[in-house]
Amino acid sequence: MSVHFDRIAIIGMGLIGSSIARAVRENGLASHVVAIDAAAEVTARVRALGIADSATTQAAKGVKKADLVILCVPVGAYGKVARMIGPQLKAGAIISDVGSVKAAVVKAVQPHLSAEAAFVPAHPVAGTEHSGPDAGFATLFSGRWCILTPPPDAPAEAVAKVGAFWEAIGSKVEIMTPEHHDLVLAVTSHVPHLIAYNIVGTADDLETVTKGEVIKFSAGGFRDFTRIAASDPTMWRDVFLHNREAVLEVLGRFQEDLFSLQRAIRWGEGDKLFDLFTRTRAIRRGIIQMGQETAEPDFGRVKKT
Ligand code: NAP
């Protein structure tokens, strides 16, 4: 299905919003892209980068006449933004988003939309630890999954159009319920981020090891955690506050498993450790085989000169 919109409005021009703007332009998916951000410095930067056709700090004004509106602000700001734009939306407009949490997003946005607006929530499972309009790039979504969580009454044509939009910018699309999305992402993304924030915080708090030593002797494992723990604080605070139930469920299981490992170490149960580490190694191989990661040292992130 080929896809083209007359006017796309993107609200929140950070990493994800600015990457979408760049990808839309590169793939010729809209006649006009309106960039909207609450911060005047961000809209000024968007103009300087030339990644949208117009830019404004006024969301209510910016969404008028848009056929597709994509919310790319932190999840905690969704309710406020939806309240502002709801009454201004063109009849038949499609409203979508990129939030890392889905059930809370539906609850926050849906009440502000008229019956004429088609709401198709989406989550591109792609990102980096960087933020802001300079951090974005057009190929961020290439080969990555984008999960759609449309309400049961969402018009099929709008769902197909949003799916085709993500495919046009390189993503693979899957559909699931918001609740299932939140549980899957709690396991694959949210709890791993919490573990990274925690381990880096613990290392930073260790009084017998100086900060200088933590940086100087940081081994590969710790360095990988610090990359994740450098992710945007506002975005991740909002993820945990808005996916509370699923995160707490997964954390409960994680803690049980951690205690079991602690016990195995205490009692010298080497076979138990070896069996788990063998199982987890196979999972990494599976991820590489599915093209979701590279087998290169340092995940291919260190550029060879
Ligand atoms: P980001 O780089 O921090 O960008 C967010 C932008 O939204 C900032 O420019 C921010 O301005 C602006 N903003 C905040 N509140 C606003 C409001 N009320 N009205 C208009 N603009 C507002 O964050 P991001 O990484 O792009 O994340 C955006 C969304 O994408 C989040 O919902 C997140 O869950 C989702 N997501 C992120 C990733 C990732 O890896 N980063 C991956 C998938 C999905 P200020 O900086 O001035 O506050």
Side-chain angles (χ1 to χ4, degrees), residues 11-17 37-39 42 72-75 77-78 80-81 98-100 123-124 126-128 131-132 232 235 239:
I11 309 179
M13 286 299 288
L15 168 71
I16 302 294
D37 200 286
V42 174
C72 302
V73 297
V75 169
Y78 270 49
K80 188 176 142 204
V81 172
V98 296
S100 309
H123 175 207
T128 74
S131 314
D232 191 74
M235 171 194 152
V239 166

Side-chain angles (χ1 to χ4, degrees), residues 241-255:
L241 295 181
H242 292 84
N243 195 19
R244 194 183 343 218
E245 251 173 64
V247 166
L248 291 178
E249 163 68 25
V250 175
L251 263 184
R253 297 183 69 124
F254 174 80
Q255 278 166 350

Side-chain angles (χ1 to χ4, degrees), residues 262-273:
Q262 192 176 347
R263 203 184 143 78
I265 294 168
R266 187 181 307 285
W267 294 102
E269 294 169 354
D271 287 352
K272 193 168 175 176
L273 297 175

